[in-house]
Amino acid sequence: MSEKINIKEAVEVESREDSVLTKKDIDKAYFRWWLTAEISANYERMQGLAYGASMIPVLEKLYPKKEELSEALKRHLAFFNTEATWGSMIFGSAIAMEEERAKHKEMPGEMITSYKTGLMGPVAGIGDTVDLATIFTLVSAFCCSFAVKGSLAAPIIMFLLGTAMYVEGLIFHRLGYKMGRSSVKNIMSSGTLKDVINGANMIGMFMMGALSAGLVSLSTVAKTKSFNLQETLDSIAPGILPLLVIFLAYYGLKGRKMSAPKIVILIILICVVGSLVKVL
């Protein structure tokens, strides 16, 4: 059975009695990671440079000897790529493992490297799905409706989102440090994670429906002296044409396996033709 995860305890994590590192050291390392994670991305090492740079203050404290410090830095400059917020629990776990290695010298450096390499993919899959593809995308789209009207609510909401994600990453980072190598396994196997993903999916579907109704606009001008098609459609179901466009686009993506650019071009062509024949 996986260890029960207590988020409150993780937020209030304190250094262990035999710890070389202080709470300030641990949080400072996370701040450096949060600040630089996506800055140094390159095809050779991706986030490796940011990871190594973020570890420097911690490693300098753990390894006073130049040879050991050099070896540890090389270990964390290797290729690394994950979703930065959720990946912070790998970062925190690696700090705990380095601390253990510095104290007892029994843990091989290859174990730390293998730990990072083995988990960066699965964690990225979850983080990209929950944070970037769902929460960040939906909140950004929501803010667009304010931005086009010149409202200050858009940048304020985006700032609050960034702050919330910073705190989320800090919680994961502290969980990673406190629970060590078992942290990611426990988090990924816990029922809490499943509930979070299901909740994110439900919110995502709800928000997509709300945003589609507000951002997708389509109406018809087809009418005769005694019949107005748009008024008739509105009396049956207001917004039925935008809803139809959304369903057809979804069918194209899932049913016909069409790419998004092809669907966009097809919609443009239909709108142009519909305008020429005075239907749209």
Side-chain angles (χ1 to χ4, degrees):
M1 293 180 64
S2 60
E3 183 181 341
K4 186 176 180 180
I5 299 169
N6 191 317
I7 300 297
K8 183 178 180 181
E9 289 183 2
V11 175
E12 300 172 348
V13 66
E14 297 290 345
S15 300
R16 296 184 289 266
E17 292 182 2
D18 62 341
S19 177
V20 179
L21 301 173
T22 65
K23 181 180 178 181
K24 183 178 179 180
D25 295 328
I26 298 164
D27 288 350
K28 181 180 178 182
Y30 167 71
F31 179 74
R32 290 168 67 101
W33 166 249
W34 174 80
L35 201 63
T36 63
E38 302 297 342
I39 292 177
S40 67
N42 61 82
Y43 288 113
E44 182 182 1
R45 304 188 187 201
M46 294 304 289
Q47 298 169 331
L49 291 175
Y51 199 107
S54 302
M55 291 285 284
I56 288 176
V58 168
L59 296 178
E60 286 179 337
K61 193 167 185 178
L62 293 175
Y63 301 107
K65 294 182 180 180
K66 184 176 179 181
E67 296 76 12
E68 293 179 340
L69 175 61
S70 177
E71 179 186 348
L73 280 173
K74 290 179 180 178
R75 186 159 54 244
H76 293 290
L77 283 172
F79 180 91
F80 185 81
N81 188 36
T82 191
E83 196 278 317
T85 304
W86 283 70
S88 61
M89 58 183 162
I90 302 177
F91 188 71
S93 300
I95 291 176
M97 294 171 73
E98 286 288 0
E99 187 176 31
E100 188 69 22
R101 173 177 164 77
K103 287 188 295 185
H104 303 297
K105 310 294 183 183
E106 297 176 355
M107 182 182 297
E110 292 78 8
M111 179 181 292
I112 301 175
T113 302
S114 299
Y115 173 82
K116 291 167 51 183
T117 304
L119 288 173
M120 64 182 184
V123 170
I126 298 173
D128 287 339
T129 300
V130 175
D131 278 15
L132 295 183
T134 304
I135 299 175
F136 183 80
T137 301
L138 292 175
V139 173
S140 299
F142 177 71
C143 287
C144 285
S145 60
F146 290 104
V148 295
K149 298 175 183 177
S151 173
L152 284 175
I156 292 173
I157 293 173
M158 292 303 297
F159 175 80
L160 293 175
L161 174 63
T163 303
M165 286 188 167
Y166 174 85
V167 175
E168 176 192 14
L170 180 61
I171 291 172
F172 282 137
H173 174 68
R174 289 179 175 179
L175 273 171
Y177 175 76
K178 184 173 183 179
M179 300 171 67
R181 283 180 292 167
S182 64
S183 61
V184 180
K185 178 183 176 182
N186 287 336
I187 292 171
M188 294 180 69
S189 62
S190 68
T192 303
L193 177 60
K194 184 177 179 181
D195 293 340
V196 168
I197 294 176
N198 288 337
N201 288 334
M202 288 187 287
I203 293 174
M205 295 300 293
F206 176 82
M207 289 297 295
M208 282 303 297
L211 290 171
S212 298
L215 298 178
V216 180
S217 177
L218 180 66
S219 61
T220 177
V221 295
K223 61 181 179 179
T224 62
K225 292 182 179 180
S226 58
F227 177 76
N228 188 310
L229 179 58
Q230 185 61 52
E231 292 180 357
T232 303
L233 293 174
D234 289 340
S235 65
I236 298 172
I240 191 172
L241 288 181
L243 183 63
L244 180 62
V245 171
I246 294 168
F247 283 154
L248 289 176
Y250 181 81
Y251 172 74
L253 287 169
K254 295 294 184 179
R256 306 294 297 181
K257 305 298 181 183
M258 297 173 65
S259 64
K262 288 182 179 179
I263 293 176
V264 171
I265 293 173
L266 183 60
I267 291 175
I268 293 174
L269 290 175
I270 292 174
C271 290
V272 170
V273 172
S275 178
L276 290 175
V277 298
K278 297 184 178 181
V279 173
L280 299 177

